[in-house]
């Protein structure tokens, strides 16, 4: 098989499609990191070497298998992405709204302890090469569950497929509820960003969040939002920890208030936005519940058009939702 043959075969596998500057989904980052962390196996002398020209294609296979962001040149896209959330103006400012969320966290019965589990409902593009009409918007459940001894699992289950307007679309792919990924980790094999529950203090949480995204202090609002997304992809925080996380977000100087909205599953929320340092063409939006004060989700969108994919400025490129365990279609916990 030549390099070109392999590329064509990969395209036929209907890979995920995401703008090249969008943040890597946590599930993709987790799987790729785990593969790269594994020690190489010894090979016999008769094993063929991978030719340099084929190495990049093999890397693309690995990225596709583990769910990383892979994209190929595609037909011009006109309505590949979900409609942006609509926001209405609110009277209060950022500090007042985040303080109100923290008050709700303190007053309402909620979570007292952190749990080493994260269940998320998110989505990615699915593109059929040469058939723009077959492009659909696929949602997946990702259930990350791990233990203090660093054993655990990451189970990915398909949710409904919809078009850009959110209408259910018949698809030839796996039916909703199908397990499409099931990775298990033995003791010491899982590598979380923080192996211990982050402290429910502003400084302690800031230290963990800064380590999660890597830039020097102080955190920008966009980096703080991406750090929150990364940590919540491994933990279900207590209410006190979420309050500390919101304190870190509130302390950033460039956080923008978007207003009141309803998220992708119908929950009332306030949206706050920032620009991640590593992806300057991306807006990252943090959605905070108006009922519980907890973080409901993170969405990303393009600040400027992506000519490679034909996506206009403002196109939604991803979303991740939390506090979805009670949904009737949610996978049951381990």
């Amino acid at each position: 098989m030549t390099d070109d043959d392999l590329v064509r075969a990969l395209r036929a596998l209907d890979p995920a499609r995401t703008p090249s500057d969008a943040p890597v989904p946590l599930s993709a980052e987790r799987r790729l990191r785990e593969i790269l962390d594994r020690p190489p196996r010894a090979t016999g002398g008769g094993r063929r070497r991978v030719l340099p020209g084929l190495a990049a294609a093999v890397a693309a296979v690995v990225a596709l298998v583990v769910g990383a962001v892979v994209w190929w040149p595609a037909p011009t896209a006109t309505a590949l992405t979900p409609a942006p959330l609509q926001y209405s103006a609110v009277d209060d400012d950022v500090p007042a709204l985040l303080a109100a969320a923290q008050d709700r966290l303190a007053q309402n019965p909620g979570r007292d302890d952190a749990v080493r589990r994260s269940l998320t409902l998110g989505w990615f593009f699915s593109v059929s090469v040469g058939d723009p009409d077959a492009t659909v918007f696929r949602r997946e459940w990702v259930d990350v569950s791990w233990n203090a001894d660093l054993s655990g699992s990451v189970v990915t289950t398909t949710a409904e497929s919809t078009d850009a307007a959110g209408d259910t679309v018949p698809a030839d792919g796996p039916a909703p509820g199908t397990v499409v990924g099931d990775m298990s980790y033995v003791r010491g094999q899982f590598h979380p960003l923080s192996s211990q529950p982050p402290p429910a203090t502003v400084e302690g949480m800031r230290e963990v969040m800064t380590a999660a995204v890597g830039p020097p202090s102080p955190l920008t609002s966009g980096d703080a939002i991406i750090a929150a997304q990364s940590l919540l992809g491994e933990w279900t925080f207590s209410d006190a920890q979420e309050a500390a996380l919101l304190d870190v977000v509130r302390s950033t100087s460039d956080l923008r208030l978007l207003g009141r909205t309803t998220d992708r599953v119908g929950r009332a929320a306030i949206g706050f936005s920032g620009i991640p340092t590593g992806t300057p063409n991306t807006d990252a939006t943090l959605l905070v519940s108006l009922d519980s004060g907890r973080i409901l989700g993170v969405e990303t969108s393009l600040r400027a058009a992506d000519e490679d994919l034909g996506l206009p400025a403002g196109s939604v490129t991803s979303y991740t939702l939390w506090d979805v365990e009670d949904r009737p279609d949610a996978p049951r916990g381990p």
Side-chain angles (χ1 to χ4, degrees), residues 33-60:
R33 184 172 3 141
E34 291 297 335
I35 285 177
L36 295 177
D37 281 347
R38 293 174 186 167
R41 294 188 302 172
T43 58
R47 185 179 295 274
R48 290 183 298 172
R49 293 186 299 113
V50 177
L51 299 177
L54 191 59
V58 172

Side-chain angles (χ1 to χ4, degrees), residues 81-101:
T81 69
L85 295 177
Q86 299 299 307
Y87 295 90
S88 59
V90 292
D91 294 332
D92 290 325
D93 58 11
V94 168
L97 289 166
L98 287 176

Side-chain angles (χ1 to χ4, degrees), residues 24-35:
V24 177
L26 176 70
S27 58
E29 181 182 342
R30 160 74 58 232
R31 296 172 192 175
L32 184 58
R33 184 172 3 141
E34 291 297 335
I35 285 177

Side-chain angles (χ1 to χ4, degrees), residues 114-117 145-152 185-192 194-197 234-235:
V115 179
R116 289 182 172 88
R117 185 193 179 205
S145 181
W146 55 289
N147 305 302
D149 67 357
L150 303 184
S151 62
Y185 304 89
V186 299
R187 179 177 179 178
Q189 193 178 31
F190 191 83
H191 299 295
S194 175
S195 60
Q196 297 300 319
E234 297 178 346
W235 289 91

Side-chain angles (χ1 to χ4, degrees), residues 12-251:
L13 289 175
D14 197 17
R17 184 173 300 276
T18 300
S20 55
D21 70 342
V24 177
L26 176 70
S27 58
E29 181 182 342
R30 160 74 58 232
R31 296 172 192 175
L32 184 58
R33 184 172 3 141
E34 291 297 335
I35 285 177
L36 295 177
D37 281 347
R38 293 174 186 167
R41 294 188 302 172
T43 58
R47 185 179 295 274
R48 290 183 298 172
R49 293 186 299 113
V50 177
L51 299 177
L54 191 59
V58 172
V61 175
V62 173
L64 178 62
V65 170
V66 301
V69 174
V70 178
W71 64 274
W72 307 97
T76 299
T78 55
L80 294 180
T81 69
L85 295 177
Q86 299 299 307
Y87 295 90
S88 59
V90 292
D91 294 332
D92 290 325
D93 58 11
V94 168
L97 289 166
L98 287 176
Q102 291 172 311
D103 288 341
R104 288 191 291 273
L105 285 167
Q107 295 170 7
N108 294 338
R111 299 182 185 273
D112 295 328
D113 299 305
V115 179
R116 289 182 172 88
R117 185 193 179 205
S118 170
L119 178 65
T120 60
L121 176 61
W123 69 265
F124 62 89
F125 293 120
S126 177
V127 174
S128 293
V129 176
D131 187 2
D133 291 336
T135 295
V136 294
F137 156 81
R138 296 189 185 277
R139 297 194 296 176
E140 285 185 343
W141 296 95
V142 178
D143 193 351
V144 178
S145 181
W146 55 289
N147 305 302
D149 67 357
L150 303 184
S151 62
S153 64
V154 179
V155 180
T156 303
T157 308
T158 57
E160 289 184 336
S161 300
T162 68
D163 62 14
D167 299 321
T168 299
V169 176
D172 296 330
T178 302
V179 175
V180 295
D182 190 350
M183 298 185 68
S184 297
Y185 304 89
V186 299
R187 179 177 179 178
Q189 193 178 31
F190 191 83
H191 299 295
L193 294 168
S194 175
S195 60
Q196 297 300 319
T201 64
V202 179
E203 290 307 316
M205 187 64 71
R206 179 180 289 110
E207 181 178 351
V208 175
M209 293 172 69
T210 300
V213 292
S217 296
L219 283 171
T220 68
S221 58
D223 289 336
I225 291 171
I226 296 303
Q229 181 180 24
S230 298
L231 289 169
L232 292 175
E234 297 178 346
W235 289 91
T236 298
F237 281 163
S238 69
D239 289 344
Q241 288 168 312
E242 290 232 354
L245 193 156
L246 291 180
D247 256 329
V248 177
V249 173
R250 182 171 57 180
S251 70

